[in-house]
Amino acid sequence: MSAHCQLTGSKPGFGSNISHSHRRTSRRFDPDVQRKRYWLPGEGRSVRLTLSARAIKAVDSIGIEAAVARIRARGGKV
């Protein structure tokens, strides 16, 4: 599963691990992405979305229909 949110578009950030001796190695900061299933009453079917934890809270707030409309407006496939 790619660490990419369909609603907010959040992707992994990159940075460095810094050891005690100050040597740097690459690391990756992944968003908290989860696969969640929602029922779309307007289309009479369920959809499975890859969402970050922040996006799941946004869906609870704005509703699944508005969230799917935003994903489609960004060019995402649902």
mmCIF file of all heavy atoms in Angstrom, residues 13-18 23-29:
data_model
loop_
_atom_site.group_PDB
_atom_site.id
_atom_site.type_symbol
_atom_site.label_atom_id
_atom_site.label_comp_id
_atom_site.label_asym_id
_atom_site.label_seq_id
_atom_site.Cartn_x
_atom_site.Cartn_y
_atom_site.Cartn_z
ATOM 1 N N GLY A 13 7.163 12.354 3.846
ATOM 2 C CA GLY A 13 8.189 13.385 3.895
ATOM 3 C C GLY A 13 9.533 12.700 4.080
ATOM 4 O O GLY A 13 9.595 11.567 4.569
ATOM 5 N N PHE A 14 10.591 13.357 3.702
ATOM 6 C CA PHE A 14 11.907 12.749 3.805
ATOM 7 C C PHE A 14 12.811 13.615 4.664
ATOM 8 O O PHE A 14 12.677 14.837 4.689
ATOM 9 C CB PHE A 14 12.507 12.567 2.407
ATOM 10 C CG PHE A 14 11.751 11.588 1.581
ATOM 11 C CD1 PHE A 14 10.725 12.007 0.758
ATOM 12 C CD2 PHE A 14 12.022 10.240 1.650
ATOM 13 C CE1 PHE A 14 9.998 11.108 0.006
ATOM 14 C CE2 PHE A 14 11.306 9.325 0.910
ATOM 15 C CZ PHE A 14 10.290 9.768 0.084
ATOM 16 N N GLY A 15 13.714 12.969 5.366
ATOM 17 C CA GLY A 15 14.634 13.677 6.228
ATOM 18 C C GLY A 15 15.806 12.793 6.573
ATOM 19 O O GLY A 15 16.160 11.890 5.814
ATOM 20 N N SER A 16 16.404 13.033 7.720
ATOM 21 C CA SER A 16 17.603 12.308 8.116
ATOM 22 C C SER A 16 17.483 11.803 9.545
ATOM 23 O O SER A 16 16.953 12.487 10.412
ATOM 24 C CB SER A 16 18.831 13.203 8.036
ATOM 25 O OG SER A 16 19.041 13.649 6.734
ATOM 26 N N ASN A 17 17.991 10.584 9.770
ATOM 27 C CA ASN A 17 18.267 10.126 11.123
ATOM 28 C C ASN A 17 19.623 10.706 11.479
ATOM 29 O O ASN A 17 20.545 10.668 10.671
ATOM 30 C CB ASN A 17 18.360 8.606 11.182
ATOM 31 C CG ASN A 17 17.019 7.943 11.179
ATOM 32 O OD1 ASN A 17 16.077 8.434 11.774
ATOM 33 N ND2 ASN A 17 16.937 6.796 10.520
ATOM 34 N N ILE A 18 19.766 11.249 12.665
ATOM 35 C CA ILE A 18 21.048 11.797 13.080
ATOM 36 C C ILE A 18 21.497 11.034 14.318
ATOM 37 O O ILE A 18 20.819 11.043 15.353
ATOM 38 C CB ILE A 18 20.946 13.312 13.374
ATOM 39 C CG1 ILE A 18 20.431 14.028 12.142
ATOM 40 C CG2 ILE A 18 22.300 13.855 13.791
ATOM 41 C CD1 ILE A 18 20.283 15.504 12.298
ATOM 42 N N ARG A 23 26.263 11.440 12.446
ATOM 43 C CA ARG A 23 26.225 10.891 11.083
ATOM 44 C C ARG A 23 24.775 10.888 10.642
ATOM 45 O O ARG A 23 23.874 10.586 11.425
ATOM 46 C CB ARG A 23 26.778 9.473 11.045
ATOM 47 C CG ARG A 23 28.271 9.427 11.249
ATOM 48 C CD ARG A 23 28.753 8.008 11.271
ATOM 49 N NE ARG A 23 28.418 7.333 10.022
ATOM 50 C CZ ARG A 23 29.319 6.935 9.130
ATOM 51 N NH1 ARG A 23 30.593 7.129 9.352
ATOM 52 N NH2 ARG A 23 28.952 6.318 8.024
ATOM 53 N N ARG A 24 24.542 11.197 9.373
ATOM 54 C CA ARG A 24 23.174 11.288 8.857
ATOM 55 C C ARG A 24 22.890 10.143 7.895
ATOM 56 O O ARG A 24 23.693 9.859 7.017
ATOM 57 C CB ARG A 24 22.978 12.614 8.132
ATOM 58 C CG ARG A 24 23.053 13.786 9.056
ATOM 59 C CD ARG A 24 23.210 15.080 8.307
ATOM 60 N NE ARG A 24 23.504 16.153 9.240
ATOM 61 C CZ ARG A 24 22.637 17.080 9.601
ATOM 62 N NH1 ARG A 24 21.427 17.092 9.106
ATOM 63 N NH2 ARG A 24 22.988 18.007 10.456
ATOM 64 N N THR A 25 21.726 9.529 8.068
ATOM 65 C CA THR A 25 21.240 8.523 7.130
ATOM 66 C C THR A 25 19.813 8.902 6.752
ATOM 67 O O THR A 25 19.097 9.532 7.528
ATOM 68 C CB THR A 25 21.255 7.109 7.754
ATOM 69 O OG1 THR A 25 20.523 7.133 8.959
ATOM 70 C CG2 THR A 25 22.681 6.649 8.010
ATOM 71 N N SER A 26 19.409 8.509 5.567
ATOM 72 C CA SER A 26 18.082 8.882 5.062
ATOM 73 C C SER A 26 16.985 8.163 5.836
ATOM 74 O O SER A 26 17.140 7.015 6.237
ATOM 75 C CB SER A 26 17.959 8.527 3.591
ATOM 76 O OG SER A 26 18.839 9.311 2.835
ATOM 77 N N ARG A 27 15.878 8.840 5.999
ATOM 78 C CA ARG A 27 14.699 8.226 6.575
ATOM 79 C C ARG A 27 13.457 8.816 5.923
ATOM 80 O O ARG A 27 13.537 9.785 5.174
ATOM 81 C CB ARG A 27 14.649 8.397 8.088
ATOM 82 C CG ARG A 27 14.500 9.831 8.546
ATOM 83 C CD ARG A 27 13.974 9.910 9.935
ATOM 84 N NE ARG A 27 12.612 9.388 10.000
ATOM 85 C CZ ARG A 27 11.925 9.287 11.122
ATOM 86 N NH1 ARG A 27 12.452 9.641 12.267
ATOM 87 N NH2 ARG A 27 10.689 8.841 11.114
ATOM 88 N N ARG A 28 12.331 8.218 6.229
ATOM 89 C CA ARG A 28 11.079 8.591 5.588
ATOM 90 C C ARG A 28 10.000 8.740 6.651
ATOM 91 O O ARG A 28 9.861 7.884 7.518
ATOM 92 C CB ARG A 28 10.756 7.459 4.620
ATOM 93 C CG ARG A 28 9.546 7.601 3.813
ATOM 94 C CD ARG A 28 9.502 6.410 2.869
ATOM 95 N NE ARG A 28 8.146 6.045 2.616
ATOM 96 C CZ ARG A 28 7.706 5.667 1.446
ATOM 97 N NH1 ARG A 28 8.520 5.560 0.442
ATOM 98 N NH2 ARG A 28 6.453 5.372 1.287
ATOM 99 N N PHE A 29 9.251 9.830 6.596
ATOM 100 C CA PHE A 29 8.154 10.077 7.529
ATOM 101 C C PHE A 29 6.850 9.772 6.801
ATOM 102 O O PHE A 29 6.398 10.567 5.973
ATOM 103 C CB PHE A 29 8.143 11.545 7.980
ATOM 104 C CG PHE A 29 9.351 11.969 8.745
ATOM 105 C CD1 PHE A 29 10.451 12.483 8.100
ATOM 106 C CD2 PHE A 29 9.380 11.864 10.128
ATOM 107 C CE1 PHE A 29 11.571 12.890 8.806
ATOM 108 C CE2 PHE A 29 10.501 12.267 10.845
ATOM 109 C CZ PHE A 29 11.594 12.781 10.176
#
